[in-house]
Every structure is written in C-alpha cells, then in structure tokens.
Amino acid sequence: MRVLLTTWGSRGDVEPLAGLAVALRELGVEARVCAPPDEEFATLLARVGVPLVPLGPTVRSVVAGPKPPTKEDAFRLAPQLVAARFDTLTAAAQDCDALLATGLMPAGARDVAEKLGIRYVLTCFHTLGLPSRHARPGARPGTPSARDETDNRVLWKEDAQRVNALYGEALNTHRAAIGLPPVDNVRDHVLTDRPWLAADATLCPSRGLTDLDVVQTGAWLLPDDRPLPAELETFLGAGEPPVYVGFGSMASYAPRDVARVAIQACRARGRRVVLARGWADLAPIDDGADCHVVGEVNQQALFRRVAAVVHHGGAGTTTAAAVAGAPQVVVPQIADQPYWAARVAELGIGAAHEGRTPTVDSLSAALTTALDPDTRARASTVAGAIRTDGATVAARLLIGAVGAGGAVDAVGEGGPAGTA
C-alpha cells in the first residue's frame, strides 16, 4: 500500500505529516510527502527517511518579507497553488491508494484523487475554518462581512464565497481540463462532510466547535531522539531552568522588538532565556551570559527542561509544550493562535497574552502566572492526559479506509461536489 501526504504551510503543517509517514511505515505502508521545497522541510523529512516531493513555492518566499502578505498576494498565490497541486499531485499519486491533504486550503487535492479513483482525506490541526453554528469564521482575504452581521449562518456562507473568489476559477478550470464537472462551493468540497482533526482532545475538544462530523485522531507527533547541542546542555546546567522564547515561522508577523521585550521581561522575573532564532531571526540584545540563542532544536527534549515556554501559539508548539508539562505564555498573532492562547489559559497551564504586541510589563505579568508553582503542577497533570499515539491511530484509520473500498472519502460518505 502507498499513500501520498500533502500540505502547503509552515513547519507546523509539515512535521505532523512526517510523524504520520513514520507511523505508516511502521505498519508496512509506503508514504511520501508532497510539501513546500523549503530547505528546513527537506532536512526534516530526510532525517526520518521520508521522501519529499516539492510542491509550489517555498513558504519563506511568501511570508518572510518585511511586511505580512497582502490580500493581493493571497489572490496571486491561490491559483498558483491550485495549478501546482493538479500538476505535482497527479504525478506523485499515480501509484498510490490514498491521498491525504492538509495545510492552506488544499484545493486541487480531492480533485486529483477523484480523477485517479483513490481515497481522499482532509485533515485539520484545529477547528478554525470548519463551519459552525456556534462560532464566527476566521479572517480570510476577500470582501469582508458587514461589521454588524451576527448570524453565523450568514457569516459562514460569506466565508464560502471568499474561498470561491480565491480558488474557484482556477479549480474549475483545471477540473474541466481533466474532464470533471465544476464545483460551486470550493470550501465544502475540500473539507468533505467528515474531515479528520489531528489535535489532542484535551487541548482541542471538537464537540460543539463545528457542525461537521469530525474524526479526531489525536496530534501527530514525530518522535525526536536527537541530543541537545553541547553548548545548550552547558547553558541549561549552569543555573535554574530558563524560559524558552520563540515565534517559529512568524517571520513578518512576529511582534516588533519582541526579543528585547522578552529578554527584559524574563530578567525582571529573575530568569535566564533560551532564545529561538526562528524565521523572524530573533537575536540577543547584549552579550549577557543569561541568554543563549538556538536554531532548529529538539523541542521535545528542551521543553522538559525549561521553566516556561513563551511562543506565538501555533498548534505544534502548543502541543509540544503541553506534552512536556511546560507552563506556557502564548502571544497570539494570526489564524488559530488566539484559540490556542485561550485554551492554554482555560486549562490553567499558562497565560494568554492580551494583544499581539507585548510590553516588558505585560509579558512580565504573564510570566508571573506561568511561573507560579500551581501552574506548573497543573501543566504536569494535563501532560499526563494528552495522548501521544495520534499518528498511529490515524495510520490505522487510513489503512482501514483504503481496505473498505470507495474512491473519495476516507471514513464514511462525504457530500458530493458542490454541496453547501
């Protein structure tokens, strides 16, 4: 059995697919990953022996400019990604039995699976973007809804219209070229009636958050047994546990002057700092011996040895810190990050910073909560409740779905193309 796993997004979108690919391999299934050709992702997949098929432009080329991408950038990127999926996935999935897609609205993936007659699965790492009568849709490029509109049914209908504006013309042009009829609701066509949710139920309970029949597998964790760098080991052993500060792939989105603010806030709490350079290229503000800079590192090992984790609230970092039992301070910037910040606060395993741009005082106050012994105790308790076998659960489901026969949905029957 062979499966193709595809995404276009940041490391938080790619690493879970690596975890699933490893779990599939352990069950005798060959898996390949079709993802952006960023060097970091190629290195990650090579480390675990999973083939990478390059898809579209690098993510860094899109998000790492001096300013965040604009609406115009989004409308240029969307048809480019649709075309890349029809071209690249069609070739990569020729001998596969299933195609699993995630990341930035993977319009084109289901269509390739449909043409090839193989199973299709849509996976999310959070519930943002899944229609719900109980919640408003997240922000999306395009014509905004009226500020005074409160009917969630109307808001989600308008969200679907924005997705159509981004992807509809390109998707239906490529469908026509391979003999497939048009779809009139791209979002629901991509999602299917029964998407998978690769998130832990403790951190992200799906009940009540979406109207769709979600299959929740747990987070797809990639085991990491790499030792920490010798210089980092020396720093960790030279004093009390430091605070980790990192904003991952938040290049142009990272708060202005966040390294200075974070270092000074940690010093105000009497804590040393491990500063993750990340895509924002964070750097120390002086030569103080209380700050150590790291690049790509084994977070699973590092987070078990820090006093707290200050981060942007990506699904991957939030889960990694939670599994490690590390208290968190989440400074959310975009997309699903406000949800993870709120969830960390609700669970009592850390603090949600109010607003995107922290000050020394505001971050110091949040650290006071995270560094409280009661928060550490609660984080340890929650860590014990998080399942770590989500990738294996998903791998077994995927194998079972292929064995059950059928061509489009992974588990159960999905709506036909164009349903609302």
Side-chain angles (χ1 to χ4, degrees):
M1 177 178 168
R2 296 183 180 89
V3 300
L4 180 64
L5 313 176
T6 185
T7 188
W8 195 90
S10 66
R11 186 184 180 108
D13 297 296
V14 177
E15 185 164 331
L17 292 191
L20 177 58
V22 170
L24 284 164
R25 186 172 62 202
E26 291 175 350
L27 295 174
V29 176
E30 179 185 333
R32 63 192 66 154
V33 172
C34 198
D38 294 73
E39 182 179 354
E40 175 182 342
F41 306 154
T43 300
L44 166 67
L45 290 164
R47 175 165 60 85
V48 293
V50 174
L52 169 65
V53 179
L55 173 71
T58 64
V59 177
R60 274 190 183 248
S61 68
V62 175
V63 306
K67 295 181 179 179
T70 64
K71 179 178 74 172
E72 291 73 22
D73 293 330
F75 274 87
R76 283 191 293 269
L77 177 64
Q80 181 182 1
L81 289 178
V82 170
R85 291 190 184 101
F86 272 88
D87 181 33
T88 306
L89 299 184
T90 298
Q94 282 294 327
D95 58 348
C96 290
D97 302 286
L99 195 164
L100 181 146
T102 187
L104 180 65
M105 187 57 65
R110 177 175 182 173
D111 316 275
V112 170
E114 183 180 349
K115 182 64 176 179
L116 296 177
I118 63 176
R119 285 280 184 166
Y120 168 73
V121 181
L122 186 283
T123 299
C124 305
F125 301 125
H126 50 77
T127 58
L128 188 76
L130 300 182
S132 170
R133 74 194 78 177
H134 305 296
R136 298 169 63 95
R140 204 186 294 273
T143 304
S145 298
R147 291 186 178 183
D148 59 353
E149 181 59 72
T150 59
D151 188 330
N152 286 333
R153 292 170 299 179
V154 172
L155 294 172
W156 281 104
K157 181 178 180 180
E158 293 172 346
D159 176 73
Q161 293 169 352
R162 285 188 283 273
V163 175
N164 280 349
L166 281 162
Y167 298 95
E169 182 179 357
L171 181 70
N172 284 325
T173 297
H174 285 280
R175 282 179 63 86
I178 59 174
L180 296 178
V183 298
D184 59 19
N185 187 323
V186 175
R187 184 198 65 200
D188 291 359
H189 171 72
V190 169
L191 294 178
T192 77
D193 287 346
R194 208 174 190 201
W196 289 9
L197 176 60
D200 183 76
T202 299
L203 298 177
C204 184
S206 60
R207 187 177 299 276
L209 294 181
T210 177
D211 298 337
L212 300 180
D213 184 16
V214 171
V215 177
Q216 188 158 17
T217 65
W220 300 348
L221 305 178
L222 177 66
D224 194 343
D225 59 1
R226 292 174 297 164
L228 296 175
E231 297 84 357
L232 177 56
E233 282 283 5
T234 299
F235 180 80
L236 292 171
E240 293 298 313
V243 171
Y244 171 95
V245 177
F247 283 78
S249 59
M250 293 291 97
S252 55
Y253 294 101
R256 185 178 180 182
D257 210 18
V258 69
R260 178 191 63 80
V261 169
I263 291 170
Q264 291 183 353
C266 291
R267 286 173 174 171
R269 309 310 318 157
R271 292 288 178 169
R272 301 180 302 149
V273 181
V274 171
L275 184 67
R277 189 175 296 110
W279 285 13
D281 200 24
L282 302 184
I285 57 176
D286 54 35
D287 295 329
D290 61 346
C291 182
H292 184 82
V293 179
V294 296
E296 203 283 314
V297 70
N298 182 346
Q299 288 186 340
Q300 295 173 23
L302 177 57
F303 286 0
R304 290 194 293 267
R305 299 176 61 181
V306 299
V309 176
V310 178
H311 63 103
H312 56 296
T317 308
T318 303
T319 302
V323 169
Q328 307 182 45
V329 174
V330 183
V331 187
Q333 302 300 305
I334 60 171
D336 57 314
Q337 295 165 14
Y339 169 80
W340 294 110
R343 192 64 185 145
V344 162
E346 289 168 2
L347 288 169
I349 60 175
H353 185 273
E354 185 175 349
R356 296 175 55 186
T357 308
T359 65
V360 174
D361 288 343
S362 67
L363 193 54
S364 178
L367 279 168
T368 299
T369 297
L371 295 171
D372 187 283
D374 289 342
T375 304
R376 165 66 68 172
R378 177 61 182 161
S380 178
T381 299
V382 169
I386 297 174
R387 66 182 308 163
T388 57
D389 64 343
T392 299
V393 170
R396 293 188 184 281
L397 276 173
L398 192 54
I399 293 169
V402 171
V408 178
D409 272 338
V411 182
E413 295 298 321
T419 55

